[in-house]
Amino acid sequence: MNSIRKKISSLLIGLAMSGCVWAQSAQQSKSPWWKGAVFYEIYPRSFQDSNNDGVGDLNGITQRLDYLKLLGVDAIWLTPIYPSPQVDFGYDISNYEDIDPQYGTLKDFDRLVTEAKKHNIRIIMDLVLNHTSDKHPWFLESRSSKTNPKHNWYVWRDGKGPGQPPNNWESYFGHSAWQYDQKTRQYYYHKFYIQQPDLNWNNPEVRKAMYDVERFWINRGVAGFRLDAITTLFEDPQMRDEGVVKDENGKPMTNAYGDPQLDDTRTNDLPQVHDVLRELREVADSYKGRDVVLIGETYLRSVDDLKKMYGAHDDELQLPMDMQIGFINKFDVAQFRQRIDEAQNNINGNEPLIVFDNHDNPRWDRYGGGKFHDDIGRVIATVLFATRGSAMFYYGDEIGMVTTPPKRKEDVKDPIGITGWPKEKGRDGERTPMQWDDGPNAGFTGPNAKPWLPIPPSYKTVNVAAEMKNPDSILNWYKQMIELRRTVPSLRYGNNIMLNTSDNHVLSWMRTAPGQAPVIVACNFTAEPQRISFDLSKQGIVAKQGKTLMKTPGMSDPASLSDVQLPPFGVYMGEVE
Ligand code: GLC
């Protein structure tokens, strides 16, 4: 009897296991393309100039597709390339259905999509829904009179009294978020620059117009959108003041622009945004078989808020950006461990999208640099690519480009750097031209052209050509990591389990997929050598040896998994044999 039971139960376990493997592989083969994908953010002004005017363009990107293919990225996100007065370098759009002549034409765009497809690379557009340029025909009409049919397309209010804006709300870019308009004698709301009036998302006509824009670009072949400032679409209907943030001594805080620091509760992350996300998703999903992906710019307060962005029924964003991990901004093992764990376990089993850098924030050299620059880069890239989820990085990160802010106010191009100087130097430092080689203008533009932002002096050694030739370069680390994600199933699909969880110097984890050799990863978060021992018995693993997949240059292969010696900011990744 007992033995029959045993047989039946082992049969059931066997069936369940093979079911698991089957489910896993079925899921893998059915998986939408963006799951586990690597996204590369391009700031088109700064990537590659093809016509020697000092500004990067679409044809420049097309010229560099071979490089992107070699790097191994699955998709490129282009920051806005639509016609724009360029006050916010493209985030102030004056026509959503064309290309700014600085960057090329619709024909150039179509060619980029076609050529990218040949390289197996998809294009993600940046969709700016919160606001338009003040030169957009919609706004020109809106401000022409209070009775114009488009007046209600934007957020207009009467002042509280003469010379007094409707409330205390502030722009993220400094000072009041309300701008008085002589003609209508009303104020319009702008969460960003004065030249970026906020659209009124309570107006169904605005929604319809924007969903048409979404369709326009999907019809042109894009694979998805990065939704700009998506949490700021709505404002408190009662227009209540925001609270002032206080420091630990109860003193009201001031921001870099000298204004009171507000708590952002009436103008950010309001629940109504979820209705819009569902509607955007419906449009995306109506393109059957295309797996159009919606990525969100989601700076949020917690992982719980992030979880909501996927939608109660997984019907909103597929990939809200996880800024919780990448923006810890210091090497703190405990915080990294906790947030990686949360990203794995507290988002309803959805796919995390980890991001460290973008065009709005200093590059990863903010974690240290100098002597250990490349080692720190390897740690960042390992956390990015070897934890479960999709990954996104910013052009130039892969070669270790250094944030290079302007030294003088008169050189600043980003307007917030002028308003906020010297506390806020703006975002020019992370937008400098891509460093392709050590020739004139780093190969970004012609030798006689003047790049729109100066080339950082580091280009002599930090450049694609030099790093391609050096097997130990940071570029080759990125390339190999991306390649391993593609070829090692545990790394691409496996679960993510934190290891050695009381160690405060080394962050370690394991990736496991059914039927596949587990992969263990260890990153030294300190400037001193560290020695660690893996005890995998809790995971039911008795193996004592690892087959090295990646290790910091110069490091020797560990004699066994119970004695892994890591140099300062050293990384080890091995398959458990
Ligand atoms: C987003 C963009 C940023 C832009 C702002 C206003 O945060 O990333 O560059 O300035 O939105 O559109």
Side-chain angles (χ1 to χ4, degrees), residues 41 43 77 79-80 88 90-92 126 128 130-131 172-173 192-193 196 226 228-229 297 299 358-360 414 427 431:
E41 177 189 354
Y43 199 68
W77 149 33
T79 61
D88 192 12
Y91 282 95
D92 45 324
D126 206 320
V128 184
N130 178 68
H131 47 266
Y172 281 149
F173 290 163
F192 297 90
Y193 289 121
Q196 293 169 306
R226 176 265 189 185
D228 181 69
E297 188 196 20
Y299 289 98
N358 60 35
H359 62 286
D360 295 326
D414 181 16
R427 298 162 291 180
R431 298 175 175 179

Side-chain angles (χ1 to χ4, degrees), residues 458-489:
S458 61
Y459 82 100
K460 280 283 173 198
T461 51
V462 177
N463 64 65
V464 172
E467 294 191 31
M468 277 288 185
K469 286 190 227 135
N470 173 5
D472 290 345
S473 67
I474 183 77
L475 174 59
N476 271 311
W477 186 271
Y478 268 71
K479 216 165 129 272
Q480 287 164 32
M481 272 286 179
I482 296 173
E483 172 75 19
L484 284 171
R485 267 169 78 92
R486 200 185 299 284
T487 51
V488 178

